[in-house]
């Protein structure tokens, strides 16, 4: 005589008996399994949907607790024009191609190059080099070779002290002040900007 399983009620054929009843028993068991598995899958899908919704709501509440409502509005903007409106900028506000190039620069040196600005002062050769010049006794002031230099010079007289100043921009290697004569000394600084 056949028996059934305790949980799903599946039919278990009796060993050595129920010779012609196997097909209806197996088909009935398959129907029961199909129904129960579908019920379990539906319940699992609903649980996952509820968990995802709860997680999304928790994330939204956490974000709302960390940033202002204005920031949340800005973060929700889906286009540049919407963001400009949120920021109160004119709808026609645009960055020029030059501005975009400048904004895309990855370093201060690249930005200076985009702007055509001279290099920052440095102690090594090349653009940006900064030097102090003190020609020998009664010697002329000659700018170091290479590039273009901005220079400033002070004439010092042994009896009078500071006797004058001069400044300019000159190509490297140029003599900018002739020898000042006996009793005078030139003190200068120069910055290579090209």
């Amino acid at each position: 005589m056949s028996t059934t399983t305790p949980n799903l009620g599946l039919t278990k054929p009796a060993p050595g008996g129920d010779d012609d009843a196997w097909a209806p028993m197996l088909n009935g068991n398959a129907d029961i399994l199909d129904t129960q598995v579908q019920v379990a899958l539906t319940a699992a899908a609903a649980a996952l949907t509820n968990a995802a919704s709860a997680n999304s709501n928790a994330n939204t509440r956490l974000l709302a607790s960390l940033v202002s409502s204005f920031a949340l509005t800005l973060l929700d903007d889906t286009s540049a024009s919407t963001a400009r409106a949120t920021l109160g900028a004119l709808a026609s506000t645009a960055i020029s191609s030059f501005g975009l190039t400048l904004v895309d620069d990855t370093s201060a040196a690249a930005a200076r190059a985009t702007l055509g600005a001279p290099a920052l002062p440095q102690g090594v050769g090349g653009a940006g080099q900064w030097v102090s010049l003190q020609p020998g006794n009664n010697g002329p002031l000659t700018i170091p070779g290479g590039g273009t230099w901005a220079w400033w010079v002070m004439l010092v007289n042994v009896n009078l002290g500071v006797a004058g100043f001069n400044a300019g921009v000159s190509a490297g290697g140029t003599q900018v002040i002739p020898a000042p004569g006996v009793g005078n000394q030139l003190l200068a600084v120069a910055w290579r900007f090209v």
Side-chain angles (χ1 to χ4, degrees), residues 68-160:
S68 68
S69 59
F70 174 78
L72 285 174
T73 302
L74 188 59
L75 289 172
D76 286 342
D77 290 343
T78 57
S79 69
S81 61
T82 306
R84 280 195 297 272
T86 298
L87 292 170
L90 297 175
S92 63
T93 302
I95 298 176
S96 68
S97 59
F98 176 79
L100 289 173
T101 302
L102 184 61
V103 169
D104 286 346
D105 287 340
T106 58
S107 68
R112 293 180 70 76
T114 299
L115 292 169
L120 294 173
Q122 58 179 336
V124 296
Q129 182 181 2
W130 182 262
V131 296
S132 173
L133 304 168
Q134 187 172 359
N137 194 21
N138 300 321
L141 177 63
T142 302
I143 301 300
T148 303
W149 296 76
W151 52 270
W152 179 86
V153 63
M154 176 174 59
L155 174 65
V156 179
N157 180 277
V158 293
N159 296 317
L160 302 173

Side-chain angles (χ1 to χ4, degrees), residues 8-103:
L8 295 179
L10 301 176
T11 303
K12 300 188 323 187
D18 300 324
D19 291 338
D20 293 329
W22 282 66
M25 287 182 206
L26 290 177
N27 288 342
N29 287 345
D31 290 342
I32 292 170
L33 287 173
D34 181 66
T35 301
Q36 294 302 317
V37 168
Q38 183 58 44
V39 167
L41 289 175
T42 301
L48 287 174
T49 300
N50 290 339
S53 176
N55 187 39
S56 175
N57 290 337
N59 286 342
T60 301
R61 286 191 304 274
L62 177 61
L63 183 59
S65 71
L66 297 175
V67 297
S68 68
S69 59
F70 174 78
L72 285 174
T73 302
L74 188 59
L75 289 172
D76 286 342
D77 290 343
T78 57
S79 69
S81 61
T82 306
R84 280 195 297 272
T86 298
L87 292 170
L90 297 175
S92 63
T93 302
I95 298 176
S96 68
S97 59
F98 176 79
L100 289 173
T101 302
L102 184 61
V103 169

